[in-house]
Amino acid sequence: MNCFVGVDVGTTNVKALAMPPDLSQILAHASAPLTTLNPEPGYAEQDPNEIWSAFVQVISEVCREASQNGHTITHVAFCTAMHSLLPMDIHGASLGNAILWSDNRAEAQANDLRTKHADLGKTIHEETGTPIHPMIPLCKLAWMREHDPRLLRRTAHFGSIKEFLWQKLTGEFEIDFSIATATGLFNESKRHWSKRAMDYAGVRVDQLSTPVPTTFLRTYKPRPDTAGTGLPDGVSLVIGASDGCLANLGAGAIKRGTATLTIGTSGAIRQTVRKPLRDPKGRLFCYFLDEGYYAVGGPTNNGGNVLEWVSEKLTQQDTKAVLEEAETIDPGSDGLLFLPYLQGERAPLWDASVRGAYLHVDWQHTRAHFVRAALEGVLFNLLSINELLKEYTGPARVIHANGGFAQSTLWVQMLADMAGVPVRLNASNESGSMGAILLTMKAIGQVKTLDEAADRVAFGETFEPDLDRHKVYRAEFKKWQDALTRL
């Protein structure tokens, strides 16, 4: 039996999923962890060679398992995190670590585009759909222009982690339209690199990859340095899209009124629209998925990392014990509020310097209150982004939830109670890999549209909102918003 593989290269793991063309079952699955390096305060980097090793481990495991069970891999598609920047030589070898989305070293350059060069910043956002923030490669390149001009000059190619992996597998420097729209350098409507953005960043077009559609395919030819992958000669490689866009597709959230809320290390809430949207204040992103499909929404820096902080630093318990402790407290945490800005923030504030706080601390509050308030604060922040989003897309009638938080029934029920709408889980929580497989089906003509592909997504449990708890949360959310406004 033939099968498709979706590879999801995230911040904490590389994962791969193999499924047959009818998506009836998971034929193979593998995962390998990644390490984030913090060489200086505000820095976040990864070793691209470690990423390659993790990719080889994962894809070889899936190939071996699929082969042992009599399956033949015909297509491999890629889903990767956005906003990474990696300097490479002419052969695609790395000249340093990859700078991640969570790296804030370019804060001054982002502020420059928001203040001193605000007109240019607005024009770039209008062209690219990417909010101005230290996360985007545009600002990282501007930082490099000021702080490491020698590296800027000697780098033959700047690219993302996906481009690094793609070049190693194909020998070509190519970037899909989806990852490109997240760079702050790509003109979304004209489908080419923006001269204004390149001039500001200090890079030339020959230092950037060739943009291609998300359904673009190349035939894999093994070489000595890629033989360890176990990929068969002649397998089709589908370049794929970004993790945010494919999480929407993989969650089946394509139709109007359906939102996707993802919480992994970070988080985001998105809807899929049929034409590009722009928030005049630059608070929402709009990224390309496929022709006629765009993911619009807002990302937060503070998602699962808040649970990690509560677990490791606040309570020194494992996450299971933390979640059990939170469940002992009533909704609203007896008035205790938490602003979850532990690592600066993207949406809704777009301020890398903002920091978190507990508010309304009272004698009655216990450690368990602080734990629950932290979980509630993460969701309040995402719902505040949703308030911006619904100005352009209308309200969500249902939310599809995915990411690591979806494994916690407490946290997912909390979301349903806060939002006041049903929250659905997918049968598989690997929405990025699933989205890559669904995009493969479109690329080879197995389906005509992404709507048809999304209709094949299977669902698990649905969490219905409790109206009494919703009333409590609606009042607490208003207090949370007022606190944010004062901040």
Side-chain angles (χ1 to χ4, degrees), residues 409-442:
T409 56
L410 168 68
W411 219 356
V412 176
Q413 185 62 56
M414 195 183 293
L415 171 62
D417 295 339
M418 285 184 177
V421 299
V423 175
R424 301 175 75 182
L425 302 185
N426 295 105
S428 168
N429 196 34
E430 303 293 351
S431 58
S433 297
M434 176 64 75
I437 290 172
L438 293 173
L439 193 64
T440 297
M441 296 167 67
K442 169 70 164 27

Side-chain angles (χ1 to χ4, degrees), residues 40-57:
E40 295 186 35
Y43 283 36
E45 302 176 354
Q46 285 182 337
D47 179 353
N49 297 311
E50 182 196 12
I51 297 172
W52 171 251
S53 296
F55 170 79
V56 170
Q57 175 187 332

Side-chain angles (χ1 to χ4, degrees), residues 304-321:
N305 62 322
V306 173
L307 177 58
E308 181 183 354
W309 172 78
V310 169
S311 174
E312 294 183 4
K313 297 185 177 180
L314 190 63
T315 68
Q316 296 183 332
Q317 301 181 106
D318 62 33
T319 55
K320 182 175 182 289

Side-chain angles (χ1 to χ4, degrees), residues 67-138:
S67 176
Q68 288 173 348
N69 292 318
H71 306 296
T72 301
I73 295 174
T74 59
H75 295 79
V76 178
F78 294 83
C79 166
T80 59
M82 294 176 275
H83 313 305
S84 58
L85 180 69
L86 177 66
M88 294 175 277
D89 67 15
I90 194 171
H91 303 294
S94 62
L95 299 177
N97 287 334
I99 305 174
L100 303 183
W101 61 267
S102 51
D103 190 289
N104 283 326
R105 74 185 68 182
E107 182 178 351
Q109 288 69 33
N111 288 338
D112 180 73
L113 275 175
R114 285 180 170 274
T115 55
K116 184 178 178 181
H117 295 103
D119 289 343
L120 176 60
K122 289 178 181 178
T123 299
I124 289 174
H125 175 256
E126 177 61 31
E127 284 189 2
T128 67
T130 310
I132 302 300
H133 186 269
M135 69 179 183
I136 61 175
L138 166 71

Side-chain angles (χ1 to χ4, degrees), residues 112-278:
D112 180 73
L113 275 175
R114 285 180 170 274
T115 55
K116 184 178 178 181
H117 295 103
D119 289 343
L120 176 60
K122 289 178 181 178
T123 299
I124 289 174
H125 175 256
E126 177 61 31
E127 284 189 2
T128 67
T130 310
I132 302 300
H133 186 269
M135 69 179 183
I136 61 175
L138 166 71
C139 294
K140 293 167 182 168
L141 286 166
W143 178 91
M144 197 175 293
R145 180 194 65 210
E146 297 179 27
H147 295 273
D148 199 351
R150 183 172 175 272
L151 178 60
L152 191 69
R153 289 193 301 270
R154 72 187 183 94
T155 297
H157 295 278
F158 286 102
S160 64
I161 289 169
K162 177 186 279 188
E163 289 156 84
F164 173 74
L165 297 174
W166 185 260
Q167 198 281 332
K168 287 184 76 69
L169 291 168
T170 69
E172 302 291 339
F173 288 100
E174 291 162 333
I175 182 173
D176 63 80
F177 291 162
S178 183
I179 290 290
T181 54
T183 63
L185 295 157
F186 186 71
N187 189 309
E188 187 177 56
S189 62
K190 296 182 178 178
R191 306 283 197 270
H192 62 60
W193 297 112
S194 165
K195 187 176 186 307
R196 290 185 185 89
M198 287 191 297
D199 288 346
Y200 179 79
V203 292
R204 307 181 308 272
V205 69
D206 62 277
Q207 291 177 294
L208 302 174
S209 299
T210 301
V212 296
T214 55
T215 51
F216 181 78
L217 296 94
R218 280 201 178 275
T219 301
Y220 173 68
K221 296 295 180 184
R223 301 191 307 271
D225 59 336
T226 64
T229 63
L231 286 171
D233 188 358
V235 69
S236 291
L237 303 178
V238 184
I239 197 165
S242 68
D243 55 354
C245 290
L246 288 177
N248 269 26
L249 177 58
I254 292 294
K255 293 180 171 58
R256 184 181 179 88
T258 304
T260 303
L261 189 144
T262 304
I263 300 179
T265 303
S266 57
I269 187 163
R270 306 170 297 271
Q271 287 200 39
T272 305
V273 294
R274 296 309 179 89
K275 61 182 180 180
L277 291 177
R278 295 291 184 270

